Structures are given as structure tokens and as C-alpha cells.
Amino acid sequence: MTAQNRKIRLGVLFGGRSGEHDVSLVSASSVMEALLDREEFEIIAIGLTKAGRLAGENELRAMLPDGLIGRVRLCTAIEAAGSGMKIMPNQPDDGRESDITPEIIFPLLHGTYGEDGTIQGLFEIADIPYVGCGVLASAVAMDKDVVKRLWAGEGLPVTPWITARAGDIAANPAEIRIAAEKAFGYPMFSKPANLGSSVGVRKIHDETEFNDALRDSARYDRKVLIEKGIDAREIECAILGNDDPMASVTGEVFSAGEFYDYEAKYVREESRLEIPADIDGEKAEEIRTLAVRAFRAIDGAGLARVDFFLEKVTGKIWINEINTMPGFTPISMYSKLWAAGGVPFHELVRRLVCLGKERFDERSARKTDRK
Ligand SMILES: Nc1ncnc2c1ncn2[C@@H]1O[C@H](COP(=O)(O)OP(=O)(O)OP(=O)(O)O)[C@@H](O)[C@H]1O
Ligand SMILES: [Mg+2]
């Protein structure tokens, strides 16, 4: 094979300890399937078990759909090599080379240990290029309290909130309740600062539900956010790019439940997405501009999905959150928003890989000492 048509060796990393393990498997197999027919990529599958270990050969086969077996290379061993790491295949003696370290890794890990900067830190130390946001942007985006402080500092409209510590919730819930009632009134929402998929998110209708909701959210994190409940439509916008990011068309989420909780997201089939969102052009433009500003404020790279509330009565737009590794299947909001904008799934993946390499090359060219 000549240098021009040499395949890009892409590692796809999936699974792991997060509560979104299963979503990650679907995202990863979608990406691998979309790229298999393309001549440009050789795919190395790297799976992590629910315990966080590198999956062995049988475990890895069980994590992949049958159609992929034999068509992607399986990584079942990682060794320290110099300051980095060497990724090895399941069949080192199959006549091909034993070192199949990818040129770039696509970490399709959602939530804890994947979307929060930890795995990105490992790649940085090992000097391996990767797709998506770096350590800081990932970590900041994962912490709903920190990201709101940052956005508020930039003058971006964030849903009003109070942050309470688990220790204070246990010791003095009445004081927190009175402060929140004074600030917001009912309904309110409580949620753990660091988690996804609506796990631990509770709607609080009145004071009888307050303590229970906070205690429940505090089971998942030391920090709990109490927010003013906004009666709103939920609009999302996808971002693609590094320093000069583009915003997609907007999409709307219609939840099957009273709010978009875990059941509504993954279990109930009545939940649906509408793309483009049926909102007026000016509002859509305002949302797209805010999405880019929110992404730049965290110094994002590659991709993110920014989620908004469009308040029904006032028409006001609030930023709810940013996801740096949103669900990534062809039927996920992120990819559907780009497909609606004329970027098909395989092309989206290809662009993300290029952006990841670009970011890596930029960083490698930068000086790290005074010489
Ligand atoms: N302040 C609020 N006002 C109205 N609804 C809210 C509020 N906060 C959360 N919700 C509802 O709860 C859902 C989940 O909340 P949020 O998006 O903050 O949690 P999440 O766990 O981060 O979800 P994700 O999987 O998108 O990361 C929202 O989609 C929305 O339906
Ligand atoms: Mg959300």
C-alpha cells in the first residue's frame, strides 16, 4: 500500500465503569460499522469491562455485535512502552505485526471515567492523539456546578441554581430548603453535580418532597445542585470543530415522562426527537450562537452537544448543560443534527478524527520549555 492510500489506524475505546456502559457499546459498534466499508480506516476495538479492566478476548467478542467479529482487530493487551503505551492484538502470530498501536483513539465512553477528563489524561501522558475535548474541557463540562460558574462568568444565561454539599444536606436540610424556596419557589429540580443520563435527577413539586429528593441526589455525589424548575421545551444543538467550531441546526426532545428522566431517555418508546426544532429562525440562531459561546468558554475541542431550555411563557433561552461525549449512534441527537445539516455519519466520524489529529499536531509543535 502506498503512502497516499495507507489506512488510518483508529482505536475505538468503549465500555467501562460508567453507568452508561451499555450506551457506550451501542455508540462504539455504530462507529465501527459506519467505517468498515470505508477504505480509509483500519479499526482496533478496545473494550473495558464494567469493572474497568481491559476486556480479554472472549469478553471483547461478547461486547461486539456478531457482524463485527473478524472485521475489526481486537486489542487484548496494553503494555507500557517508553513514556507511552503499546497496544497489541489478540493474534500476534497471525503473520501481521504485533504492535497495532492506533494513530488516534476515539474514546466512546460516556459519563464517569470517560467523559470527565480521566481517560483523556491517560492519552495525554501516553502521547496518543484522541478524538474530542481535552482534560480540562471534559472535566469542567462534567461538573454541572463548575460549568455554570464558568458560563455565568461569561455572561451566559444559565438556569438559576444553588449548590449544596452532601454533608450540609444531611446536617441541615431545613436551612437549604428555606434558602431554595426563597430563591426559586416550586417546582425545583435536584441533581448530582457529576453524573449523566438523568441518574439522581429529581423534580421537587412541593416541600414534602424536598428532603427526600436531595438525599437521593446526594447518594451519587458530594455536591448537589438545586435548580429553579423551568417550564420549557428542550432544544439541543451540536458543535463540531476546534478553534473555529460550527453549530448544527437545532433539534427538540419530546419526553415521554413528566421530564426527561432515565426511563424517558432509554426505556419508553414514546420519547422522540424532532429535527429541525419547530422554532422561529431568530430563536434558532440565538441558540446556535450560545452553543458556540458555551463550547468556547470551556475551551472545547472536536465535539459537544449543548442542551437548552426554551421557556414556554417568556421565550427565554437558558443553557442547561454541555455533553462532551454525547450518545453517538446514527439515531442519536448529535449525529442526526449533523445529518440534517448535510454531514452523513461516516463523514462526521472522519472529520472528528481529523480534528483530533490536528489538535494533537498543534500541541506537539508547541514548546514545553525555554530552549
Ligand atoms: N432546571 C430544570 N428545569 C426543568 N427541567 C429540568 C431542569 N433540570 C433538569 N430538568 C429535566 O431533567 C432532565 C435531566 O436533567 P439534566 O439534563 O440536567 O441531567 P443529565 O443527567 O445531565 O442528563 P444527560 O444525560 O443529558 O447528561 C432534563 O432533560 C429535563 O427534562
Ligand atoms: Mg441532560
Side-chain angles (χ1 to χ4, degrees), residues 144 198 234 236 260 265 305 307 320-321 323:
K144 293 187 162 88
S198 304
E234 298 194 46
E236 304 185 347
Y260 206 32
K265 270 179 195 168
R305 195 192 72 223
D307 298 350
N320 174 33
E321 60 162 341
N323 294 283

Side-chain angles (χ1 to χ4, degrees), residues 156-284:
L156 294 167
V158 291
T159 26
W161 88 106
I162 293 175
T163 302
R165 307 259 161 194
D168 296 331
I169 292 170
N172 211 340
E175 195 177 306
I176 299 169
R177 178 175 53 75
I178 290 162
E181 284 172 347
K182 209 164 142 198
F184 316 132
Y186 295 98
M188 299 175 204
F189 276 79
S190 76
K191 53 181 93 165
N194 288 278
L195 222 68
S197 292
S198 304
V199 176
V201 179
R202 295 278 299 260
K203 182 169 183 178
I204 310 173
H205 301 83
D206 58 46
E207 66 173 273
T208 62
E209 296 176 357
F210 191 89
N211 289 4
D212 238 21
L214 262 67
R215 257 189 257 122
D216 185 36
S217 299
R219 285 169 51 214
Y220 300 97
D221 200 348
R222 272 177 31 257
K223 281 196 296 186
V224 169
L225 273 74
I226 306 158
E227 291 184 1
K228 181 179 165 62
I230 312 280
D231 183 17
R233 294 169 67 182
E234 298 194 46
I235 311 288
E236 304 185 347
C237 182
I239 296 287
L240 176 65
N242 286 340
D243 286 341
D244 204 6
M246 296 186 304
S248 70
V249 298
T250 56
E252 179 164 9
V253 173
F254 292 90
S255 168
E258 188 188 357
F259 70 97
Y260 206 32
D261 60 7
Y262 189 91
E263 292 273 306
K265 270 179 195 168
Y266 300 115
V267 184
R268 297 180 59 172
E269 284 173 3
E270 312 92 275
S271 294
R272 63 188 174 88
L273 313 178
E274 190 172 302
I275 298 168
D278 184 15
I279 54 178
D280 73 56
E282 240 171 69
K283 277 281 169 237

Side-chain angles (χ1 to χ4, degrees), residues 42-60:
E42 179 186 10
I43 296 171
I44 317 289
I46 312 165
L48 300 175
T49 65
K50 281 190 176 159
R53 262 188 312 103
L54 182 69
E57 184 166 346
N58 290 339
E59 289 166 317
L60 190 52

Side-chain angles (χ1 to χ4, degrees), residues 285-301:
E285 209 39 53
E286 194 181 334
I287 287 172
R288 286 154 46 89
T289 305
L290 286 171
V292 169
R293 287 182 61 198
F295 182 79
R296 294 187 96 130
I298 65 162
D299 197 21

